[in-house]
């Protein structure tokens, strides 16, 4: 049984996510940055909002027992023995980011050599991005996904969540100075990432840790390197992600993302 079964509505969840995010959008206007990851604004702490919204909706519907059961199901780590899927979750995004930086280097548009952050900063950053990814995915995949999947194909559900997920980030991106083109292409890349997350999720029997790992690795470069922004182009990343997303749709199908036909 999925963590979100019995949830009233994915759309109620989306609405609550945006309402609860308003204070964090205001915080984004302060232009403060996280000391361990300067590429992230302080508003990055809004990652707690999807978890909070899901928890509140489940609690309202079924009380504390339902909320406790939801969290237990959402954090089940049983899928981690599925090595192939775990490795896919870990390596897809780092490879895509490396290819993005490589493409910029070939085009002569990359910045100076990448600079590693201090080891303590990287460790602290990894812990926080894992926690943040868990907070987000418990909401997006654990709560919103099951309700949408009952009414839509897996691809449609992934695209809806991906679009809302991307839209949720638009204001913070704009407030930290990203231009319209950067925001557009990065948001489209996020939609493609959501298709990959959904594919990993359904092929590990709703394996939340695999979704969390992929999500965390999509943020890892910003913690590992202090100047990765100079080596990143969201248009190139978006084009690169079309490859795994296209292969997923070709070989696993759009209805479930889990019917391999190779």
């Amino acid at each position: 049984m999925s963590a979100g079964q019995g949830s009233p509505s994915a759309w109620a969840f989306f609405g609550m996510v945006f309402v609860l995010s308003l204070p964090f959008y205001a915080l984004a206007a302060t232009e403060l940055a996280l000391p361990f990851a300067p590429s992230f604004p302080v508003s990055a702490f809004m990652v707690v909002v999807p978890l909070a919204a899901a928890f509140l909706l489940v609690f309202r519907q079924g009380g504390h027992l339902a909320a406790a059961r939801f969290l237990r199901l959402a954090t089940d780590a049983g899928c981690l023995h599925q090595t192939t899927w775990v490795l896919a979750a870990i390596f897809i995004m780092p490879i895509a980011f490396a290819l993005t930086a490589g493409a910029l280097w070939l085009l002569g548009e990359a910045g100076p050599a990448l600079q590693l952050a201090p080891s303590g900063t990287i460790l602290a950053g990894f812990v926080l991005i894992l926690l943040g990814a868990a907070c987000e995915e418990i909401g997006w995949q654990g709560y919103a996904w099951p309700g949408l999947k009952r009414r839509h194909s897996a691809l449609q559900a992934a695209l809806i969540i991906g679009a809302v997920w991307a839209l949720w980030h638009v204001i913070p991106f704009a407030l930290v100075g990203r231009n319209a083109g950067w925001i557009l292409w990065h948001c489209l890349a996020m939609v493609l990432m959501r298709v990959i997350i959904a594919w990993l999720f359904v092929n590990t029997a709703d394996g939340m840790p695999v979704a969390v790992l992929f999500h965390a690795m999509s943020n890892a470069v910003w913690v590992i390197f202090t100047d990765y922004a100079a080596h990143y182009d969201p248009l190139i990343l978006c084009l690169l992600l079309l490859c795994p997303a296209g292969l997923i749709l070709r070989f696993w199908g759009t209805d479930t993302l889990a019917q391999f036909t190779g």
Side-chain angles (χ1 to χ4, degrees):
M1 179 178 180
S2 297
Q5 279 191 325
S7 60
S9 168
W11 297 100
F13 167 75
F14 295 150
M16 183 170 285
V17 164
F18 279 94
V19 169
L20 294 178
S21 297
L22 292 175
F24 294 96
Y25 290 152
L27 188 60
T30 65
E31 300 183 357
L32 295 172
L34 298 174
F36 52 82
S39 297
F40 288 90
V42 172
S43 61
F45 282 112
M46 75 180 192
V47 294
V48 302
V49 168
L51 170 61
F55 184 85
L56 289 171
L57 287 169
V58 173
F59 182 83
R60 185 177 69 179
Q61 183 187 27
H64 68 279
L65 291 177
R69 183 171 181 274
F70 168 73
L71 291 178
R72 184 173 66 253
L73 288 172
T75 55
D76 181 4
C79 67
L80 291 179
H81 71 280
Q82 301 182 56
T83 306
T84 300
W85 296 103
V86 171
L87 291 175
I90 292 172
F91 286 109
I92 288 175
M93 287 310 298
I95 290 170
F97 281 125
L99 291 174
T100 300
L104 285 175
W105 179 78
L106 289 173
L107 293 170
E109 297 180 10
L114 286 165
Q115 299 295 316
L116 280 173
S119 58
T121 298
I122 293 174
L123 179 59
F126 260 109
V127 171
L128 287 174
I129 64 173
L130 277 171
L131 290 174
C135 289
E136 285 203 48
E137 293 308 321
I138 288 172
W140 303 122
Q141 288 300 133
Y143 188 92
W145 172 266
L148 288 172
K149 187 59 183 68
R150 285 195 292 272
R151 298 172 178 84
H152 303 280
S153 71
L155 176 60
Q156 290 170 334
L159 292 176
I160 291 169
I161 295 173
V164 175
W165 183 40
L167 182 62
W168 184 55
H169 285 80
V170 167
I171 291 176
F173 288 156
L175 289 174
V176 296
R178 304 300 187 186
N179 62 45
W182 191 101
I183 293 172
L184 172 63
W185 289 111
H186 189 81
C187 285
L188 290 174
M190 291 179 70
V191 174
L192 293 172
M193 282 188 265
R194 182 53 56 182
V195 172
I196 299 171
I197 290 173
W199 169 69
L200 293 167
F201 186 75
V202 298
N203 281 284
T204 53
D206 294 356
M208 187 62 63
V210 174
V212 170
L213 279 172
F214 180 92
H215 189 140
M217 295 309 295
S218 74
N219 290 325
V221 292
W222 306 98
V223 169
I224 295 172
F225 302 107
T226 60
D227 58 345
Y228 183 75
H231 301 262
Y232 175 66
D233 185 322
L235 170 56
I236 295 175
L237 178 68
C238 189
L239 294 175
L240 288 169
L241 290 178
L242 283 172
C243 182
L247 290 173
I248 288 167
L249 300 184
R250 166 62 180 83
F251 291 106
W252 279 269
T254 61
D255 188 39
T256 66
L257 298 179
Q259 295 174 330
F260 183 68
T261 58

